[in-house]
Amino acid sequence: IIFMDPRNLLLSRINIASGWAIHGLVLEFQDGHRSGVLLSNNGRGLRLTDANIAARHGIWHEIEHGDSITTISGHGSGQYLCHSLHIEFASGFVIERVGEQPDWKGAPFEQSLTRTQLVTFVDPRVSAMTTVKTSLHLPMDDEPETLLPLLPLEYQTRYTSQRNFLLHHIG
């Protein structure tokens, strides 16, 4: 049984790097790890380091604790990540970037998520998105307990419910 640390799933900030097109989309989680795509001018993938992100003119957007992405949309671009990117959050917060080269605007794309899906990776070039189904980011009364991760057997007798366990150990 795997008990997931919720800090591995909750976003702390998002970076969108752009110029003539969108060159990068980096998700940074509360535990500090990053996922995403960052491309050089020749389309080669770059490591998601602070230096590489800054060199690609990335702008960080702080995400409110517990907020989650509900929709990712935009327009494709033949050789880069995409031409435009529009990200909506459950709180109503929106991040939007548009590439400066209008001739590179391709076909539109859109992906929506349910309240119990958290994004862990996005690549608009191939409409790829990885999500995890959980309710850890939701207020306690919003979703049934069945979506919470299973407790290891040794904790099941000590704590009468998964929510009591999470409140005791996570806060």
Side-chain angles (χ1 to χ4, degrees), residues 21-24 37-47 56 77-82 104 123 125:
I22 306 296
H23 303 288
V37 179
L38 186 64
L39 302 175
S40 66
N41 278 339
N42 66 10
R44 192 188 84 221
L46 300 171
R47 291 181 53 225
R56 300 305 293 151
S77 170
Q79 84 187 91
Y80 293 108
L81 194 58
C82 57
W104 293 356
D123 186 345
R125 293 175 300 179

Side-chain angles (χ1 to χ4, degrees), residues 44-144:
R44 192 188 84 221
L46 300 171
R47 291 181 53 225
L48 306 180
T49 64
D50 289 338
N52 286 343
I53 292 168
R56 300 305 293 151
H57 308 288
I59 296 175
W60 285 107
H61 303 272
E62 299 295 322
I63 307 304
E64 183 178 318
H65 179 75
D67 206 357
S68 59
I69 296 172
T70 58
T71 305
I72 297 178
S73 61
H75 289 86
S77 170
Q79 84 187 91
Y80 293 108
L81 194 58
C82 57
H83 175 268
S84 61
L85 196 56
H86 179 93
I87 304 173
E88 296 178 24
F89 292 81
S91 67
F93 180 59
V94 173
I95 300 172
E96 188 165 32
R97 296 289 294 273
V98 177
E100 298 168 3
Q101 178 52 269
D103 294 340
W104 293 356
K105 185 176 182 179
F109 64 87
E110 181 173 332
Q111 294 189 18
S112 297
L113 297 113
T114 66
R115 285 190 40 120
T116 58
Q117 288 178 287
L118 291 179
V119 174
T120 57
F121 176 79
V122 177
D123 186 345
R125 293 175 300 179
V126 292
S127 296
M129 182 183 308
T130 306
T131 64
V132 172
K133 188 171 183 177
T134 183
S135 62
L136 288 174
H137 61 295
L138 298 174
M140 290 298 196
D141 295 325
D142 278 5
E143 295 294 326

Side-chain angles (χ1 to χ4, degrees), residues 26-38:
V26 180
L27 308 177
E28 186 174 272
F29 297 85
Q30 288 184 2
D31 69 348
H33 85 274
R34 293 175 177 172
S35 75
V37 179
L38 186 64

